[in-house]
Amino acid sequence: MTSFRKKAVTKPIRGTRTSPHTAQVITSSGNPYLDVVIGGGLPMSSICLIEEDRFMTHAKVLAKYFLAEGVLSKQEIFLGSLDDIPAEMLRRLPKPLTELETEVEQREDQAHGAGGAENGLRIAWRYNDLPLVNSEHATAKIGHHFNLMEQMDSMMLYYANTTMWDDSHKETLWDIVVAEELSKSSSATTSSLEHQPVEEAPPIPGEETTPQEKIPAQEESSANNNNNNNNNSSSVTSSTKTGSQEAQPQVFHNPRYGGLLNDIQDLLRDESFVAGTKKNLCRVCLTSLGSPLWYDEHFGEDLIKFLTLLMASVRNCNAVCLITMPMHLIAKYDASLVPKIRQLVDYAIELESFAGSERETHPAFKEYSGLLHLHKMSALNTLAVHMPDTTDLAFKLRRKKFVIEKFHLPPELQESSAKPDNCISGLLSNSNATASLDF
Amino acid sequence: MATSVLLACGLNEQKLPGFVHISEESNVDGSFLISCILGQRLRISNAGTLLVCLQHHYQHYFNAGMRLGYNTNIFRGKTLGVIDVLSDMAVEGLASKWLRNSEGQTLTEQLVEDIRAQVESNYASRNSYTVLIDNLSILFNLGASKLQVQQFCQDLAALAKERDNLTVITKLSNSDIYQLTDNNVAKLGQVRIQVLRLKSGVFREVDGKLLIERVLDEGNYACEETRKEVLYKVNDRNVKVFTPGEIGVKV
């Protein structure tokens, strides 16, 4: 009898891998540049907070990347929002690039970098070997590349396991997809879809309508997925849920938080997301949480309680969560909420857009759309957290992709004795620099 | 692994002070201290430990412990007891007992009762007993008032005074926001450890600063106390400490 045992190789969850640095299971955020910044991807059971820019354009792009990655990796998706129409947002997800297109794009980037170097660097020619975009050197094997200019194929969304929440019964993605399909008059597809809505039982009179809307198209795609039970029994789920909600004590003053949390918890309780089972991963995306539509007398209290309970739920299963919040508005409502919220998430990333500010036209920032501030990166299920090469990061929204780079000032080609502007000097030096150093 | 940081904090001894409070500034992560203390207590033979998980799940402490060279699963159910409030709330949802005032009891009263029950059942058979509470600010998040949290800490301090060799270690995040509660809780004990961020910004080789205040002799009129300041760096498998001035910018 020998003590030798053959190592049992467990199959990882789709779209995840084990980080060699922290031994954590990580999944792509959808944007390869962001993945590099946070150490390869989002760890399982983590919450990432994107603090929205003033015009909410860039945070939404990252949310779309996050969702699109989930669709492509065949993971379960939960999308909740009061400000946006979830179905509409899903419909506008970016189109994935094929391997060939990705290669071409990378080659173009390299060629662009080399061409620029040939023309520009004659003395410090050794810098030609360095990549133009530092954050791109480690390509994430788990992530995909997307084209922001084009929208994802509706059939790809049709097969996605998606749950939406918007606190009202609005037109679902299902309806939109069917309408599109009908307009295309693809008889084969529509005939197979036509009988689906019949399965959806009408809302039971006397009961409040469930905010949860399930896309009833999952039964074909993954018959072995237990979540698809909602597909043919959505009315049953809604009735039991309503019953349980009535029996439960009122935890929140604003019932919307309770409704949203119930829906998330119901989804995450599914056995395919039980921690350690390695069956599937759930991506929870909440956009514009804490926007003025959520305001009431107990806004701060409810929001913090909701985030605490959300943290408890996400930590307990195979899920990752991405939340976008208008933090500049929340800070105006109550400044003490900002550190409290950041304490309840694992990653807090602020997008400071130049749009509408004096920096928009400033020559020093002409290359970028804004700055990216890493406010918090916490060690989850490990001791030390991954730190990127630099925390001076900037982003730019190109036509096809969202790029995060090391922030650098353009070369000063003309000698001038003028002092640098306040805004640049403020960026490069810490505001507390006058205070005594710690070391 | 974590000996140096415990040595700096004065928590590497078998017998610890009755009440120790860890204050954590905003945007600073001091969870490594809980993992370090937990590992040190588990290594002492026949020393009981109770971990109250409010900020992280038990699984986090298991994984962090594995990095520091100890396995909490071996001790769980024997010398290690766990009250995992977060897991309970995740499983039970909004019907969790921590979210409703059952029998007129508040969240903090229920928690004190559970801790007391665990201590009662385990204390007699152990040489020493340590209660670790990983984040008091979660109690505020779940709706507890300042008064309730203060009363909760006073009950625990009273529990520590009632019994020899019983230590209560609490941690409070966002101490700059909950300054009043933080100071009041710190006054209950002899040792206060403040986890502070670097005023001068982010530095690759140092994560933050520990300010350790220890009351040596509390007389009728005068109070003698020591203050020590060390810098720390949390690595993948250990925690290093430096004295201010030891490490600098390399040019």
Side-chain angles (χ1 to χ4, degrees):
Chain A
M1 192 72 183
T2 61
S3 60
F4 175 77
R5 278 184 197 171
K6 193 177 178 184
K7 193 181 175 186
V9 180
T10 50
K11 206 178 163 186
I13 301 170
R14 278 189 302 264
T16 66
R17 71 176 167 100
T18 307
S19 165
H21 305 294
T22 57
Q24 288 174 293
V25 179
I26 55 172
T27 185
S28 173
S29 66
N31 185 292
Y33 302 94
L34 183 62
D35 285 347
V36 173
V37 171
I38 58 178
L42 292 168
M44 187 95 81
S45 311
S46 65
I47 301 177
C48 179
L49 169 70
I50 306 290
E51 300 181 11
E52 288 174 0
D53 46 301
R54 278 174 199 279
F55 299 107
M56 285 167 51
T57 45
H58 302 102
K60 264 185 197 170
V61 173
L62 285 179
K64 281 180 186 172
Y65 269 116
F66 179 78
L67 294 166
E69 179 62 38
V71 172
L72 232 65
S73 303
K74 292 175 185 169
Q75 294 162 349
E76 182 83 28
I77 289 171
F78 182 97
L79 174 59
S81 181
L82 275 186
D83 293 51
D84 306 307
I85 302 165
E88 188 67 16
M89 194 171 169
L90 278 176
R91 204 170 63 88
R92 289 166 189 255
L93 292 184
K95 187 187 171 187
L97 296 180
T98 58
E99 281 182 19
L100 190 69
E101 285 172 327
T102 310
E103 270 179 36
V104 169
E105 192 187 310
Q106 282 172 348
R107 233 177 282 152
E108 273 175 11
D109 275 355
Q110 283 171 359
H112 175 71
E118 272 170 27
N119 296 333
L121 293 177
R122 289 182 183 175
I123 299 168
W125 51 271
R126 274 185 174 276
Y127 285 106
N128 287 344
D129 298 338
L130 294 175
L132 187 69
V133 181
N134 253 7
S135 58
E136 208 173 24
H137 67 275
T139 48
K141 285 174 189 169
I142 41 173
H144 295 88
H145 292 256
F146 298 94
N147 181 359
L148 291 174
M149 287 286 285
E150 293 180 59
Q151 288 175 6
M152 194 178 270
D153 184 23
S154 57
M155 284 314 288
M156 210 176 262
L157 289 170
Y158 170 74
Y159 286 116
N161 302 324
T162 317
T163 310
M164 288 177 284
W165 182 94
D166 62 357
D167 199 36
S168 63
H169 186 76
K170 290 177 186 172
E171 195 180 23
T172 61
L173 178 69
W174 159 254
D175 299 330
I176 296 166
V177 170
V178 170
E180 274 184 3
E181 292 303 316
L182 282 170
S183 66
K184 285 176 189 171
S185 69
S186 58
S187 58
T189 316
T190 41
S191 62
S192 68
L193 302 177
E194 262 167 9
H195 68 277
Q196 296 272 358
V198 182
E199 288 180 10
E200 281 192 359
I204 300 163
E207 283 187 358
E208 61 182 82
T209 52
T210 5
Q212 189 179 17
E213 296 161 357
K214 190 87 189 169
I215 297 176
Q218 300 145 358
E219 62 183 9
E220 295 164 43
S221 62
S222 53
N224 54 349
N225 192 337
N226 297 304
N227 293 302
N228 296 339
N229 295 340
N230 299 320
N231 200 7
N232 48 14
S233 61
S234 60
S235 61
V236 179
T237 318
S238 66
S239 60
T240 50
K241 196 183 297 165
T242 316
S244 64
Q245 273 176 350
E246 278 168 7
Q248 283 165 5
Q250 188 152 2
V251 176
F252 299 101
H253 295 97
N254 185 345
R256 282 170 167 170
Y257 288 103
L260 176 58
L261 192 73
N262 256 325
D263 287 357
I264 295 171
Q265 285 182 336
D266 281 348
L267 181 67
L268 295 182
R269 273 192 208 114
D270 193 283
E271 64 174 15
S272 58
F273 307 126
V274 174
T277 53
K278 295 199 171 182
K279 281 184 182 171
N280 201 1
L281 178 82
C282 183
R283 282 178 182 253
V284 179
C285 181
L286 306 176
T287 60
S288 299
L289 182 71
S291 69
L293 288 177
W294 291 90
Y295 283 3
D296 69 347
E297 282 181 20
H298 304 274
F299 168 69
E301 195 185 320
D302 276 354
L303 181 65
I304 294 295
K305 195 183 277 187
F306 171 79
L307 286 172
T308 309
L309 296 175
L310 179 70
M311 179 183 77
S313 301
V314 172
R315 291 266 163 88
N316 212 36
C317 59
N318 293 342
V320 281
C321 182
L322 184 124
I323 307 172
T324 70
M325 291 177 101
M327 207 59 102
H328 57 284
L329 294 179
I330 292 171
K332 278 180 184 163
Y333 184 92
D334 182 359
S336 71
L337 281 176
V338 176
K340 286 181 192 173
I341 290 168
R342 283 181 188 156
Q343 195 240 322
L344 293 169
V345 297
D346 301 301
Y347 295 91
I349 299 164
E350 185 191 349
L351 300 177
E352 184 195 343
S353 172
F354 295 150
S357 73
E358 60 178 15
R359 287 177 184 172
E360 193 176 9
T361 50
H362 198 283
F365 302 110
K366 67 179 177 185
E367 272 189 48
Y368 306 111
S369 307
L371 296 174
L372 188 138
H373 303 286
L374 282 174
H375 286 296
K376 189 189 174 190
M377 292 177 82
S378 67
L380 180 67
N381 293 328
T382 184
L383 201 62
V385 68
H386 167 267
M387 283 302 289
D389 293 342
T390 178
T391 50
D392 294 326
L393 297 163
F395 64 87
K396 50 186 160 189
L397 186 60
R398 286 190 187 160
R399 282 172 66 240
K400 290 185 180 178
K401 57 183 179 179
F402 184 91
V403 180
I404 299 168
E405 283 182 7
K406 265 185 192 178
F407 174 72
H408 61 83
L409 295 173
E412 196 175 10
L413 299 173
Q414 292 173 340
E415 283 186 20
S416 65
S417 58
K419 287 180 182 176
D421 284 2
N422 287 337
C423 61
I424 306 171
S425 58
L427 254 173
L428 297 178
S429 63
N430 194 298
S431 55
N432 295 323
T434 49
S436 60
L437 288 169
D438 297 286
F439 43 83
Chain B
M1 302 282 184
T3 319
S4 56
V5 71
L6 292 173
L7 202 68
C9 299
L11 299 176
N12 61 325
E13 294 154 18
Q14 286 219 357
K15 184 173 164 50
L16 295 180
F19 196 94
V20 177
H21 180 62
I22 302 166
S23 310
E24 195 182 83
E25 223 179 7
S26 297
N27 286 339
V28 178
D29 191 4
S31 300
F32 70 93
L33 274 176
I34 298 285
S35 296
C36 293
I37 297 167
L38 181 64
Q40 193 263 350
R41 299 317 293 169
L42 291 177
R43 283 194 179 103
I44 300 170
S45 66
N46 205 28
T49 311
L50 175 65
L51 179 65
V52 182
C53 301
L54 285 165
Q55 188 185 8
H56 290 293
H57 281 280
Y58 165 75
Q59 201 60 28
H60 167 83
Y61 291 105
F62 165 72
N63 287 313
M66 291 301 277
R67 294 261 152 192
L68 284 171
Y70 64 89
N71 186 345
T72 51
N73 280 350
I74 295 171
F75 301 99
R76 194 169 183 185
K78 294 167 193 167
T79 57
L80 175 65
V82 179
I83 299 176
D84 202 341
V85 178
L86 276 195
S87 287
D88 190 54
M89 287 193 300
V91 173
E92 300 292 326
L94 297 180
S96 167
K97 69 171 185 175
W98 307 108
L99 296 173
R100 57 190 158 86
N101 298 341
S102 57
E103 297 164 7
Q105 277 191 320
T106 60
L107 164 69
T108 50
E109 284 169 350
Q110 283 182 66
L111 202 53
V112 167
E113 202 170 88
D114 278 21
I115 292 169
R116 203 177 271 276
Q118 287 266 2
V119 172
E120 295 289 347
S121 60
N122 294 311
Y123 177 75
S125 57
R126 304 286 169 216
N127 292 339
S128 63
Y129 204 80
T130 310
V131 180
L132 280 163
I133 299 164
D134 79 347
N135 205 340
L136 294 173
S137 67
I138 299 294
L139 297 176
F140 287 116
N141 295 351
L142 293 174
S145 64
K146 282 180 188 172
L147 191 69
Q148 284 170 352
V149 175
Q150 182 67 33
Q151 187 61 48
F152 172 72
C153 293
Q154 278 182 344
D155 288 347
L156 292 178
L159 196 68
K161 276 181 189 166
E162 280 170 22
R163 292 166 171 81
D164 285 338
N165 294 330
L166 177 70
T167 304
V168 175
I169 299 172
T170 58
K171 192 185 85 167
L172 178 73
S173 289
N174 292 333
S175 60
D176 42 345
I177 296 172
Y178 305 113
Q179 209 169 9
L180 185 70
T181 309
D182 184 50
N183 288 332
N184 287 340
V185 173
K187 287 272 178 203
L188 296 171
Q190 293 81 37
V191 180
R192 180 190 196 177
I193 303 164
Q194 292 186 60
V195 189
L196 308 167
R197 60 174 174 263
L198 297 176
K199 281 179 198 164
S200 44
V202 184
F203 183 37
R204 178 163 284 278
E205 289 173 49
V206 176
D207 284 340
K209 190 162 63 173
L210 294 176
L211 180 63
I212 302 129
E213 293 168 324
R214 204 181 178 93
V215 177
L216 296 176
D217 181 29
E218 203 168 355
N220 290 332
Y221 300 104
C223 177
E224 193 187 341
E225 62 176 30
T226 59
R227 284 163 69 93
K228 190 161 62 171
E229 206 174 285
V230 289
L231 304 169
Y232 71 89
K233 169 72 183 169
V234 184
N235 292 315
D236 199 25
R237 290 182 181 273
N238 59 29
V239 183
K240 284 184 178 174
V241 291
F242 313 97
T243 50
E246 188 184 336
I247 196 160
V249 180
K250 288 168 192 160
V251 182

